[in-house]
Amino acid sequence: MPQAMTFQSLRDDVRNYLERGASVATDPIVYEQIPKLINFAERRIARDIKIQGFQTVVSSTMQTGVAVMPKPDRWRETISMNVGTGSGSVDRQLLFTRSYEYCRTYWPNDEITAQPLFYADYDYQHWIFAPTPDNAYPIEIVYYELPQLLDETTQQNWLTNFAPNALLYGTLLEATPFLKNDDRIPVWLNFYQMAVDSLNTEDIKKMIDRSTTRQEA
């Protein structure tokens, strides 16, 4: 059974493919750059694909009278939100995404409160809600997350476990401009794109299978 990828094994594989960075003594610049290239590849993959593996669900509580809420660490894109309403806050009410300008126009006075209906990006680290919450509503947020970046402490994440090929080829793709080896860019880009396309195809098939199962039920 093949050994699972780790940060250490990926770093070793990248050194072998590049035939560079074997040690800090013999090739210090490339040796020290490889962890950064791995992190660049992780960020590239998170930008390039939106799949179930990057989805995260968090539950929190709104603050009464506060229209702005911080986003979770490593948030990349919001998928949906709902709040708990009614007796015991068990009835889930979907919030609708709108532009910042729409929310400000719809609810221009933050000091007036009511049940929230809409949300928007306030900035990269916060959301804004309209109306301003009139209660401490429980809120459930589904979003795309940047995986915990690999390093000596974090040896594995979703990418090492489920997308090792994309992570390897993505790292090699990031390395070629750094090494000024531009003739290898099309090679690694092709392998990287095939790995990404495979992940997207697999995710689409899962969504179709779930939809079919629900219809049959």
Side-chain angles (χ1 to χ4, degrees):
M1 183 176 180
Q3 187 176 6
M5 175 183 279
T6 64
F7 174 72
Q8 183 61 55
S9 69
L10 173 59
R11 188 166 56 179
D12 292 343
D13 286 342
V14 171
R15 291 170 183 160
N16 292 332
Y17 272 90
L18 297 178
E19 298 181 337
R20 293 286 306 273
S23 71
V24 68
T26 61
D27 197 353
I29 294 177
V30 176
Y31 181 90
E32 293 174 0
Q33 188 68 17
I34 287 175
K36 297 178 184 177
L37 297 172
I38 292 172
N39 292 160
F40 291 161
E42 293 176 280
R43 293 181 183 277
R44 175 192 282 263
I45 296 169
R47 289 194 306 268
D48 287 350
I49 59 177
K50 298 290 188 296
I51 60 175
Q52 188 178 20
F54 290 161
Q55 291 182 15
T56 298
V57 181
V58 296
S59 297
S60 185
T61 303
M62 291 179 148
Q63 286 185 263
T64 303
V66 179
V68 176
M69 173 183 284
K71 296 174 181 177
D73 291 340
R74 305 197 312 277
W75 168 93
R76 289 205 57 83
E77 183 179 327
T78 309
I79 300 173
S80 67
M81 295 187 191
N82 66 78
V83 295
T85 64
S87 178
S89 300
V90 296
D91 296 326
R92 309 309 298 189
Q93 177 69 47
L94 186 67
L95 300 183
F96 298 98
T97 180
R98 294 291 188 268
S99 68
Y100 169 82
E101 291 77 13
Y102 181 95
C103 289
R104 279 302 191 194
T105 301
Y106 178 82
W107 205 259
N109 189 341
D110 286 349
E111 295 184 1
I112 300 175
T113 62
Q115 180 179 318
L117 300 174
F118 309 109
Y119 73 92
D121 290 325
Y122 186 70
D123 56 29
Y124 194 80
Q125 296 179 319
H126 298 83
W127 291 292
I128 187 170
F129 298 96
T132 302
D134 63 346
N135 201 350
Y137 295 97
I139 183 169
E140 184 180 69
I141 304 166
V142 186
Y143 66 98
Y144 289 112
E145 178 185 59
L146 175 69
Q148 180 71 48
L149 295 179
L150 296 168
D151 55 23
E152 292 289 355
T153 302
T154 305
Q155 284 287 323
Q156 292 185 299
N157 61 15
W158 190 91
L159 291 171
T160 60
N161 294 333
F162 298 101
N165 288 355
L167 185 52
L168 172 61
Y169 297 136
T171 304
L172 295 171
L173 182 58
E174 294 291 339
T176 47
F178 174 74
L179 297 175
K180 299 181 174 60
N181 191 11
D182 293 350
D183 61 327
R184 300 298 293 172
I185 291 177
V187 176
W188 301 131
L189 179 59
N190 181 56
F191 282 123
Y192 171 75
Q193 195 59 57
M194 286 193 297
V196 166
D197 289 345
S198 177
L199 290 169
N200 282 326
T201 300
E202 182 180 351
D203 201 62
I204 291 171
K205 183 179 182 300
K206 288 179 181 178
M207 289 189 293
I208 293 173
D209 290 344
R210 289 197 300 270
S211 177
T212 301
T213 301
R214 285 196 295 267
Q215 290 176 3
E216 291 176 350

